[in-house]
Amino acid sequence: MTETLTSSGVRARPVAPAGHRRGVGIGELLLDGGFWGSLQQTNAHATLTHCLDWMERLGWLANFDHVAAGTTGGHRPGWQFSDSEVYKLLEAMAWEFGRTADPDSTEWSHLVRRIAAAQDDDGYLNTCYGHAGQAPRYSDLSTGHELYCTGHLLQAAVARVRTHGVDELVEVARRAADQVCREFGPDGRDGICGHPEIELGLVELGRALGEPRYTEQARLFIERRGRGTLAPIALLSPAYFQDDVPVREVAVWRGHAVRALYLAAGAVDVAVDTDDHDLRTAVERQWTRTVERRTYLTGGMGSRHQDEGFGDDWELPPDRAYCETCAGIASVMVSWRLLLASDDVRYADLIERTFYNVVATSPRADGRAFFYANPLQQREQGAPMQPDAVNPRAEGGARAPWFDVSCCPTNVARTLASWHTYAAFVDDSEGPAGPADGVPTVTLAQYASGDLRVAVGTGELALRVETTYPESGIVRIRVLEVPERPVALRLRVPHWAEGATLAASSVSSPGTEQPSNIMHPARTAHSVAPGWVEVPGERAAGDVVVLELPVTPRLTWPDPRVDAARGTVAVERGPIVLCLESVDLPAGIALEHVRIDTAAELRPYADGALVTARTVELPDGGTGVPPFSSGAAGACTGHDLPDGGAQNPIEVPLVPYHRWAERGPSTMRVFVPTD
């Protein structure tokens, strides 16, 4: 069943599963400033052009021209997967044009023509393999990334067909998908790609074009994985590309984090569209254990630099956290699919945490530099990145304009362009499989200022959301229009929001007090517990609902099994993880000297917090004394440190982690020692 389209892409959304819950479309929620609206505008006005300029400059776009002209051979700029960055940028552009109701642009048409010209007659499309002077097609499934690149091409086409309709890019993607099905179908080669992604693209393109063959091919790829068919890579086990254990038997995500998460997202898509309960349950099990034991406070995933991968349970060192930006985006992709499939609020909670503390952390305020890795501690000030050169992708502590492997900028671009489609969803089916009593439900899962106008049956529910969240915890919702049939409105109270309140005034109930100021909710508010909360009563135009979430600073203690964080504490404020930066410390005090006084009051400060701390004197690191010395019983004992208690307490500000290093290179830590 194909998507219903309008010229403005109202119903367009990145994920459109077969179930009865659907995310809102590109044109159904329009942001107007605030935290995410501002990021989205910067993305549109700066990041998209920034990415296009870099790929043109480095010759990644010219690779398509060389294939079209038959001039391949010799040096080819970029990694073997550089085509995928072009496709992710196209996807971002498609969502952006859909958001602004701009169906076309000269840049879009020119770029698509260059890509289309490079496609072989049978549908194969890749600039690194299969042409003069290049290795044969599919000759290196472990590291060649051909199917990975195709998957991103298909996702770009999904964005285009849903926001605009079938055009040249969509036809290019259709031919590429058909070629994959012929090559790797039931009667073709029994292979998989070393980097999952083709599965996502196939299912979603199958949904968009009404082609079940694509979903079946994705299912084949899922079932083939985990059987040790990929050629090994030096120093890396088959777990690196999830080829060690079949997907259904996996207990927890392992190996390369982005690959594991893309695979999981594709598995959920296949499970939902084929009604495979066992496969979906397997991914839910993997999500639960991974979030409990292998996920950072920020929502970041991946603790090992060697393979950009997951560590063992509780292996979460703050200073060596990899937490690739792309892994954060992939985590959101998995959680969103599980949320639509299950309605479990845990997935929305993790999405929020990851959005604010991984996705929002990567781009610089001007949208022209990015973090690739997102550690929770920076021990040394990073050197400023070269503003006009390709930079290393992981180390440094400063955002870079472009990387040797630049998967993160384009991934951020496509995510921000479609961010609002993850903010709300609709359950509008009837009967035993639908909402309670057959009443459609509109759920606000994330909070941002803007206008929501969503189709419910034959009518529309229109809401105006006013909030400065997360700086303030007050979310004010005005009902502008309701459909003829009853509709329920449901809100999310985050898991950390003990003490939240909800107030609802109704024009149909005379005498109820209506809040007149966004900063002063109604005095008739009642307490609501974390989780989903349905606004009581039927909604009518003119109603006002006010949700107040407590965004006062709070202490968060690490699990004692996380060895690297024992004896420390973090501070959060609402969904925001805070951090201590060296630029905020008094002269002469280094980050390692600070100890938080957990008995002292935490005070709000701007959008961060003020904490009381003391300082300690530490031994000179240049004395040649080892960090541990043998005690009388053979145990290791740390150096005797001065008490430090005689020093006056100091008050230091903690700032949102997503803004760290915006003021220049600094040292930073999220988990601060307490003694």
Side-chain angles (χ1 to χ4, degrees):
M1 178 175 169
T2 58
E3 281 286 287
T4 301
L5 294 168
T6 67
S7 59
S8 61
V10 166
R11 303 296 293 272
R13 48 194 178 272
V15 183
H20 52 80
R21 296 184 196 90
R22 63 175 179 85
V24 298
I26 284 287
E28 291 181 308
L29 175 58
L30 302 177
L31 306 183
D32 57 2
F35 189 97
W36 291 107
S38 297
L39 278 172
Q40 198 168 66
Q41 288 298 314
T42 300
N43 184 62
H45 296 148
T47 302
L48 300 186
T49 300
H50 175 85
C51 292
L52 183 63
D53 290 346
W54 269 98
M55 286 188 279
E56 189 75 85
R57 170 184 171 182
L58 295 176
W60 297 3
L61 299 180
N63 288 333
F64 292 92
D65 302 333
H66 289 304
V67 171
T71 57
T72 55
H75 174 68
R76 174 191 171 277
W79 286 81
Q80 64 268 42
F81 43 78
S82 63
D83 291 358
S84 68
E85 309 314 330
V86 180
Y87 302 146
K88 279 188 285 185
L89 176 61
L90 275 175
E91 182 185 348
M93 293 169 68
W95 293 129
E96 181 57 32
F97 296 153
R99 186 180 71 84
T100 58
D102 178 6
D104 211 341
S105 77
T106 302
E107 279 184 348
W108 172 274
S109 300
H110 178 60
L111 188 53
V112 170
R113 282 196 298 270
R114 294 171 74 180
I115 292 169
Q119 187 168 37
D120 292 351
D121 291 341
D122 67 349
Y124 178 83
L125 178 56
N126 193 278
T127 70
C128 189
Y129 293 88
H131 305 100
Q134 299 177 338
R137 296 178 181 183
Y138 306 120
S139 56
D140 184 4
L141 289 176
S142 292
T143 64
H145 290 74
E146 289 159 276
L147 291 170
Y148 167 81
C149 290
T150 302
H152 280 300
L153 169 65
L154 305 190
Q155 286 192 300
V158 167
R160 187 60 171 174
V161 73
R162 288 183 176 156
T163 56
H164 176 70
V166 176
D167 71 351
E168 187 174 16
L169 178 70
V170 178
E171 292 299 346
V172 166
R174 191 199 305 267
R175 290 194 296 271
D178 288 343
Q179 194 277 329
V180 169
C181 290
R182 290 193 302 271
E183 185 81 18
F184 293 93
D187 299 324
R189 68 169 71 194
D190 185 19
I192 58 174
C193 184
H195 197 311
E197 162 62 20
I198 185 63
E199 300 84 358
L200 286 164
L202 281 168
V203 175
E204 213 58 66
L205 188 65
R207 291 167 174 170
L209 298 181
E211 180 49 80
R213 287 187 302 116
Y214 298 161
T215 301
E216 172 58 19
Q217 183 60 53
R219 189 193 67 80
L220 282 176
F221 282 138
I222 295 289
E223 297 297 349
R224 289 171 183 169
R225 190 165 294 272
R227 306 183 190 282
T229 60
L230 291 170
I233 301 176
L235 303 180
L236 296 173
S237 73
Y240 171 72
F241 28 52
Q242 295 74 49
D243 197 30
D244 57 331
V245 179
V247 174
R248 297 173 187 272
E249 300 173 18
V250 172
V252 64
W253 292 326
R254 71 271 177 254
H256 189 277
V258 179
R259 298 173 197 237
L261 291 162
Y262 278 0
L263 178 62
V268 177
D269 281 339
V270 168
V272 168
D273 282 17
T274 62
D275 198 25
D276 190 333
H277 178 75
D278 290 342
L279 181 58
R280 187 185 120 189
T281 299
V283 180
E284 290 173 338
R285 179 182 68 245
Q286 296 155 19
W287 185 98
T288 298
R289 179 166 165 181
T290 302
V291 173
E292 286 177 347
R293 305 183 183 196
R294 300 187 177 190
T295 301
Y296 284 90
L297 180 65
T298 57
M301 294 185 180
S303 59
R304 292 181 177 176
H305 285 233
Q306 177 188 6
D307 57 356
E308 298 184 314
F310 290 98
D312 294 330
D313 288 353
W314 317 112
E315 183 187 336
L316 297 167
D319 55 342
R320 292 300 296 163
Y322 200 69
C323 294
E324 185 182 341
T325 298
C326 287
I329 291 169
S331 168
V332 169
M333 293 165 65
V334 178
S335 293
W336 178 246
R337 286 162 167 79
L338 289 174
L339 174 61
L340 293 180
S342 70
D343 198 36
D344 191 328
V345 72
R346 296 181 304 158
Y347 302 122
D349 282 340
L350 182 64
I351 288 172
E352 177 180 66
R353 178 174 295 278
T354 309
F355 268 148
Y356 279 107
N357 301 295
V358 178
V359 178
T361 304
S362 179
R364 195 171 62 194
D366 66 357
R368 294 184 172 91
F370 309 86
F371 277 141
Y372 187 105
N374 296 280
L376 281 70
Q377 181 176 352
Q378 184 73 26
R379 292 185 178 274
E380 298 181 1
Q381 287 189 5
M385 291 292 182
Q386 301 177 69
D388 199 38
V390 173
N391 288 265
R393 66 180 183 268
E395 313 289 347
R399 294 171 180 86
W402 205 250
F403 302 99
D404 179 37
V405 176
S406 261
C407 50
C408 295
T410 52
N411 227 346
V412 168
R414 66 172 181 154
T415 302
L416 291 179
S418 58
W419 182 90
H420 49 305
T421 66
Y422 298 95
F425 61 93
V426 183
D427 192 339
D428 60 2
S429 66
E430 297 184 7
D437 302 322
V439 177
T441 301
V442 175
T443 299
L444 299 187
Q446 310 296 332
Y447 299 116
S449 185
D451 293 293
L452 176 69
R453 180 173 289 273
V454 61
V456 182
T458 58
E460 290 185 327
L461 175 68
L463 306 174
R464 169 66 187 166
V465 181
E466 298 172 335
T467 183
T468 59
Y469 186 82
E471 182 178 343
S472 163
I474 298 174
V475 182
R476 187 173 188 260
I477 303 161
R478 290 189 288 124
V479 180
L480 305 179
E481 183 181 331
V482 296
E484 290 185 3
R485 65 185 295 196
V487 59
L489 177 61
R490 194 173 62 161
L491 310 177
R492 180 178 62 89
V493 178
H495 67 94
W496 46 262
E498 297 288 347
T501 61
L502 178 70
S505 64
S506 175
V507 296
S508 61
S509 301
T512 59
E513 183 177 1
Q514 295 195 28
S516 59
N517 189 307
I518 187 174
M519 300 309 296
H520 296 89
R523 284 176 293 213
T524 55
H526 62 276
S527 297
V528 287
W532 299 127
V533 55
E534 185 170 320
V535 180
E538 290 188 16
R539 304 273 58 83
D543 288 359
V544 177
V545 177
V546 178
L547 175 68
E548 184 172 13
L549 304 173
V551 292
T552 53
R554 65 188 186 277
L555 296 175
T556 301
W557 303 87
D559 189 290
R561 289 168 287 190
V562 181
D563 297 329
R566 197 173 295 130
T568 66
V569 70
V571 180
E572 297 181 88
R573 183 173 176 177
I576 302 294
V577 173
L578 303 181
C579 69
L580 177 60
E581 274 197 274
S582 56
V583 294
D584 290 317
L585 294 176
I589 296 179
L591 208 63
E592 60 266 25
H593 296 156
V594 178
R595 302 291 184 267
I596 285 185
D597 181 357
T598 57
E601 179 186 9
L602 298 174
R603 295 197 293 128
Y605 175 76
D607 53 356
L610 283 175
V611 301
T612 301
R614 66 183 181 91
T615 61
V616 297
E617 297 178 9
L618 300 176
D620 183 355
T623 61
V625 178
F628 299 98
S629 57
S630 298
C636 290
T637 60
H639 289 304
D640 293 330
L641 299 181
D643 181 11
Q647 301 194 28
N648 293 326
I650 59 173
E651 202 167 44
V652 295
L654 302 185
V655 301
Y657 171 77
H658 65 254
R659 286 213 317 266
W660 89 272
E662 285 280 7
R663 295 170 290 176
S666 68
T667 58
M668 174 277 300
R669 67 187 308 165
V670 167
F671 285 100
V672 183
T674 59
D675 51 32

